[in-house]
Amino acid sequence: MPSKLAQQMNALVRSHRPQPTTGQGKADEIRAYYKQGLQQIRGDRNMHPDRRRIEIAQLYATTRDALAKVKADQVQADRDTFAKLERRLWGYDDIRAGAADRATIDTTIRDAQDRAAKLTKPEQAARALAEAEQAGDTVLARAIAARANEQDWGDVVQDYLTSRPAVAELYQQAGDIYHRQTSPQGVMALQHIGALGKPDELRGLHDQDIQAMADPQDTAA
């Protein structure tokens, strides 16, 4: 996928609202347990204030680390999924799998990619795609669409997707991930996964100080 990803994945993406990620759901659940934990600790009137502060530090440190892991897992999952979607969108595994003569189909793919690489204007690509579609040349059509996607020729990509709803759905999924990775809103949403405000009892303390309170043996080591 190019940096702009066909101008934010064309109108297909601009008109779509990405669904919350698994990471966002997990983070919200973790923060809910965190709030419950704070309420329980604060509600224990028999606990010494110093002990209360230590337990809050332990709860905060554990929750912070859990949210950091959820965020890292989400980033890695997005990278892995995006790579798989790219391969399904613009690769030829499906065509190779059904080919009786692998050498012949590989030659056909290379020829289609070479022809697509020579397209320098969106108007050329649009005409070439229309001709490939009319001829039933799915290999060439995919190569042209891939070239259009690389060059941010959104209208050409849209033409390719219009008659392929299943492929358009994959493209939309890739667009959701791209949006999360690059747009201001997506980046903020990702940062929110790992966000955790410090409780009043720990205000003014750095995370390393809180960690020392939560696990003094680990800090000393």
Side-chain angles (χ1 to χ4, degrees):
M1 297 287 179
S3 57
K4 294 182 181 178
L5 199 64
Q7 297 298 324
Q8 281 291 36
M9 302 297 284
N10 210 340
L12 190 68
V13 173
R14 290 196 297 268
S15 63
H16 173 75
R17 191 172 203 171
Q19 296 298 313
T21 64
T22 301
Q24 288 172 324
K26 288 182 179 179
D28 290 343
E29 185 177 357
I30 289 171
R31 275 189 286 267
Y33 282 117
Y34 169 70
K35 291 179 180 179
Q36 291 178 12
L38 278 178
Q39 290 175 354
Q40 291 176 1
I41 295 172
R42 288 168 173 168
D44 188 347
R45 300 304 177 185
N46 297 321
M47 188 180 298
H48 190 279
D50 290 343
R51 183 61 201 173
R52 179 180 295 112
R53 201 162 183 244
I54 290 173
E55 291 205 9
I56 289 176
Q58 291 172 339
L59 176 63
Y60 172 85
T62 300
T63 305
R64 178 201 59 202
D65 292 346
L67 291 174
K69 185 178 186 306
V70 170
K71 178 182 174 182
D73 288 347
Q74 182 66 62
V75 170
Q76 188 60 52
D78 278 347
R79 288 174 179 168
D80 293 344
T81 302
F82 194 81
K84 291 177 182 177
L85 288 170
E86 277 196 305
R87 190 174 183 87
R88 292 181 65 185
L89 282 166
W90 313 124
Y92 296 91
D93 291 347
D94 56 331
I95 294 176
R96 288 189 175 98
D101 187 341
R102 178 66 179 270
T104 299
I105 195 62
D106 284 348
T107 299
T108 300
I109 291 171
R110 285 194 297 271
D111 178 68
Q113 291 174 327
D114 289 343
R115 292 171 63 183
K118 294 176 182 178
L119 299 171
T120 58
K121 297 180 180 179
E123 297 80 7
Q124 289 179 318
R127 288 194 298 271
L129 177 62
E131 292 171 359
E133 297 281 40
Q134 187 174 13
D137 191 338
T138 57
V139 173
L140 181 56
R142 188 177 302 183
I144 294 169
R147 170 66 172 171
N149 187 65
E150 291 172 356
Q151 298 298 312
D152 288 340
W153 297 335
D155 290 342
V156 180
V157 176
Q158 187 64 56
D159 287 344
Y160 177 76
L161 297 176
T162 297
S163 60
R164 297 171 174 83
V167 178
E169 184 176 349
L170 296 178
Y171 197 79
Q172 182 65 71
Q173 293 173 20
D176 284 351
I177 295 174
Y178 183 82
H179 181 272
R180 288 198 295 273
Q181 292 176 332
T182 61
S183 72
Q185 300 92 333
V187 172
M188 286 181 63
L190 182 60
Q191 293 299 324
H192 178 68
I193 290 178
L196 182 65
K198 291 179 182 176
D200 292 338
E201 293 84 351
L202 305 178
R203 294 287 183 188
L205 293 178
H206 295 295
D207 277 1
Q208 61 184 14
D209 298 324
I210 296 174
Q211 187 63 44
M213 290 176 60
D215 192 354
Q217 291 184 346
D218 181 69
T219 305

